[in-house]
Amino acid sequence: MRVRARVEGGQLVVRLPWRMAVAARRRVVRTPLEAVSEVRVEPSWWRALRLGTPGRHYRFRAGRWCAGELVHARGRDLLALVAGEPALVVDLPHPQSPYTRLALSVPDPHGIAAALRHSTARDT
């Protein structure tokens, strides 16, 4: 159960697997690349989490995965994480983005992080 993320025409497009999509109540998230301020890979998935309150659309299986929104003082984060896997962390403190952070378990987090850095550097 992995999230798919890629750069498509000036946007970061994230597609959740069906189980996480049902939990988060959304299948696809699109955010403009100009909203991306920082991209990193967090080796420990739990370090990508911030202190906050689980939103209405947040579900988890203890020790297995978590998906949905986490609400905190800075806004909302979208989580789609699988325990034991590294996390792609994308910070989005931009008014065009519905989230302030995306924390995702993707098949190649380092490759996607590099593609995002390349795309955002080229756009500026």
Side-chain angles (χ1 to χ4, degrees):
M1 177 168 54
R2 291 240 181 132
V3 177
R4 291 181 294 163
R6 66 184 195 190
V7 176
E8 289 180 6
Q11 291 186 326
L12 170 62
V13 179
V14 177
R15 286 179 171 58
L16 301 178
W18 73 269
R19 188 171 288 163
M20 286 184 170
V22 168
R25 297 206 179 159
R26 73 176 26 222
R27 175 79 174 160
V28 178
V29 175
R30 293 177 184 273
T31 190
L33 290 178
E34 60 262 10
V36 175
S37 68
E38 182 184 349
V39 178
R40 72 180 189 282
V41 176
E42 186 59 60
S44 300
W45 67 274
W46 53 269
R47 288 187 181 191
L49 302 173
R50 293 197 260 205
L51 290 178
T53 306
R56 267 188 359 206
H57 306 298
Y58 178 83
R59 300 290 181 267
F60 70 95
R61 296 277 310 235
R64 308 220 29 221
W65 58 270
C66 63
E69 295 179 1
L70 189 65
V71 181
H72 49 81
R74 294 182 189 166
R76 298 180 305 155
D77 294 348
L78 178 71
L79 311 173
L81 297 168
V82 176
E85 296 187 10
L88 173 69
V89 179
V90 181
D91 287 325
L92 308 160
H94 193 278
Q96 288 184 334
S97 177
Y99 299 107
T100 56
R101 176 179 285 174
L102 303 176
L104 312 166
S105 292
V106 295
D108 181 17
H110 294 284
I112 294 171
L116 277 169
R117 286 186 197 109
H118 176 73
S119 295
T120 56
R122 187 180 55 192
D123 290 344
T124 58

